[in-house]
Amino acid sequence: MRAEPVDGVQPSIIRWARESMGLSVEDVAHKLKRPLEEVIAWESEDGVSPTYAQLERLAYKVFKRPLAIFFLPAPPDEVPPAREFRTLPDADMKTLHADTYVQVRKAHAFQITLKEVFDGKNPSVKQITHQAPLDIQQPVETQARAVRAALGISLEDQLGWKSDELALKRWREAVEANGIFVFKAPFKQKDISGFCLLDADFPLIYLNNSTTKTRQIFSLLHELAHLLLNVNGISKFEASYMSRLPSAERRIEQFCNKVAAEMLIPSDDFGQQIARVPGNAESAQDHLYANLASRYGVSREAILRRLLDLKRVSQAFYEQKAKFWASQKKAASGGDWYASQNTYLSDRFAQEVIGRHYRNQISVEQASEYLGIKAKNFAGLEQRILQGAAA
């Protein structure tokens, strides 16, 4: 028996769902392995609707949307990334991968879930977005010290961390303790470092877990600076995109980079460390950059960037070394699925969900839905979350 088209599916909904993922009709036809004319017809007022099986594939496999949304009378009011984020050039926004659109949508969904789990009130007594707002007109060094003080991390604390993994854990804990929730995901678009979403009560940072730990630390503080400027931001790994931004947005990105760099590598201490380095630091051996990077728990590129800002190396030298170091990075190996899922979740959020389940306030099914997993995987993830709490 031939499958019949589904009644009640609005062409405008299919068009909206496609465009919200940054896909062309050709992309959709390719993913579904259907004729292009058929996909075009689904978006036409005079066209034929997809069958139920086709609609399921569109919803779950292509557009990553719940099936029910395709039976709405009109597209929902959802701000597209092009309007939400002003910190990427227009051309770069047009090349965002479908996976990046999905990650942004997941982040919005997490904000809604956070409001439900915490009953609409941020659990932090101190909220850094209220305590340490940034002003692009004011000196970077003074403001960076104020943000570090608000986070409660001294330089002595930082120098005592013996690994990049521990450094990332401590910075992330400090940010979350001050009212900002930090999630991660392995982005398929590798050049995206992360993004942040404003909210009066539940501001959120989302990091690309596919990058190195040192890069994630820098991205965390860069996105924190966005939030403290009261700006939604999305950032790329390579800084060259900034040169393509309008002047106002370029100043914001450069300012956020400087704040993150000053927090991680304070100027006064860094000045002491490089006092014996030759005026032209390009003649220094690579172990100098490695030792300084190890001291602050940052990448060698971050150290070289500070030297570039001080005009101790040239732009050409910086770009050449940064490109060479990037080529040396090893691909991450696979690992424990439960450990990975735990890493992706905001620690404070995950522990609150587990706590509510233990207090019989939510079921296993509801807790699993909040955590974004299947109920059958709850016990394994629960164990990982509790191990993290005990660490």
Side-chain angles (χ1 to χ4, degrees), residues 38-82:
E38 183 177 22
V39 176
I40 292 174
W42 293 342
E43 297 187 12
S44 169
E45 296 298 331
D46 300 322
V48 177
S49 297
T51 66
Y52 192 84
Q54 290 170 337
L55 188 62
E56 280 190 316
R57 291 185 63 201
L58 277 173
Y60 301 133
K61 300 295 185 182
V62 181
F63 299 143
K64 313 295 184 184
R65 299 274 187 180
L67 190 64
I69 208 167
F70 292 89
F71 295 95
L72 293 174
D77 185 17
E78 184 177 87
V79 180

Side-chain angles (χ1 to χ4, degrees), residues 16-17 20-21 59 62-66 78 98-111 195 197 206:
W16 163 81
S20 73
M21 288 288 286
V62 181
F63 299 143
K64 313 295 184 184
R65 299 274 187 180
E78 184 177 87
D99 172 73
T100 304
Y101 282 87
V102 171
Q103 301 302 341
V104 172
R105 199 157 67 235
K106 284 182 178 179
H108 278 294
F110 271 127
Q111 280 188 320
F195 61 86
L197 295 176
Y206 222 79

